[in-house]
Amino acid sequence: LNTSFDKEIAKLALPALLTTLLDPVMTAIDAAIVGRLGTPQLAAVGACTVLYNFSNFVFNFLLYTTTPRIAAAASTNDSLAIACPTLFQMMGTSPEVMAFAVPFLRVRCLSSPAIMMTYVMSGVFRGFKDTKATLVSSTWSNVAHILLDAVCIFGLGMGAVGAAMATSLSLWLNWSILF
């Protein structure tokens, strides 16, 4: 750690390394506790861990492709914080509208993981010829959305951003019902 670069790299690398090690620690804890239940249960944890880790490892590229792109954008101040208003400007959005649009979109983006997982879960249910489950989850999500709109927009005084929050929360609810 002779240079400022060495210190900066160490400051980033140590937490990243520890984060990577935490998943196997969870698995070890599960094995230690479930092992007290019996051999078949412990074997099930082992088999599921292998299958689960293998199937999720396929998406590991997201971590390693996202990191350098975001780092490069952040180093040139071309981050998502700048990209969002720029995209609205390209659409011809007025500054008055943009004052509401930018925070709305940022909060609305909180539901993106829920939407992706809901797509997967919907595909699973459809694959089993069950389209009613997604109808039920979407219905409850929409009922919750109406209530959350009223609470977030007016009750909490969040205005337009409250609508984005209500939508994001209801989409997470939709996924959780399917899960």
Side-chain angles (χ1 to χ4, degrees):
L1 302 180
N2 297 329
T3 70
S4 62
F5 292 120
D6 292 340
K7 291 176 186 170
E8 186 174 354
I9 290 169
K11 187 175 151 183
L12 293 171
L14 184 59
L17 176 63
L18 293 175
T19 300
T20 303
L21 295 175
L22 285 178
D23 184 55
V25 168
M26 279 191 205
T27 301
I29 291 169
D30 284 347
I33 294 171
V34 172
R36 295 176 163 264
L37 300 176
T39 303
Q41 293 91 336
L42 179 58
V45 169
C48 290
T49 299
V50 170
L51 183 60
Y52 177 83
N53 287 348
F54 177 75
S55 63
N56 283 289
F57 184 75
V58 172
F59 300 102
N60 202 17
F61 73 93
L62 293 170
L63 172 64
Y64 296 105
T65 58
T66 304
T67 301
R69 287 189 169 100
I70 296 299
S75 70
T76 61
N77 290 325
D78 184 21
S79 65
L80 296 176
I82 294 169
C84 186
T86 302
L87 294 172
F88 281 123
Q89 287 172 345
M90 290 169 53
M91 292 173 54
T93 307
S94 71
E96 179 184 17
V97 172
M98 200 177 324
F100 296 101
V102 170
F104 184 97
L105 182 60
R106 288 185 178 140
V107 171
R108 184 66 173 75
C109 283
L110 295 173
S111 65
S112 293
I115 291 169
M116 296 298 123
M117 292 186 292
T118 299
Y119 288 163
V120 171
M121 292 302 296
S122 295
V124 168
F125 281 102
R126 288 178 184 178
F128 284 110
K129 298 180 182 178
D130 181 358
T131 54
K132 291 178 183 175
T134 55
L135 176 62
V136 168
S137 69
S138 293
T139 301
W140 280 110
S141 175
N142 276 276
V143 169
H145 181 250
I146 294 167
L147 298 173
L148 288 167
D149 259 347
V151 169
C152 293
I153 296 169
F154 302 112
L156 298 175
M158 295 174 72
V161 170
M165 182 61 72
T167 301
S168 292
L169 290 172
S170 67
L171 289 168
W172 278 101
L173 174 64
N174 190 15
W175 169 76
S176 67
I177 291 170
L178 290 174
F179 186 72

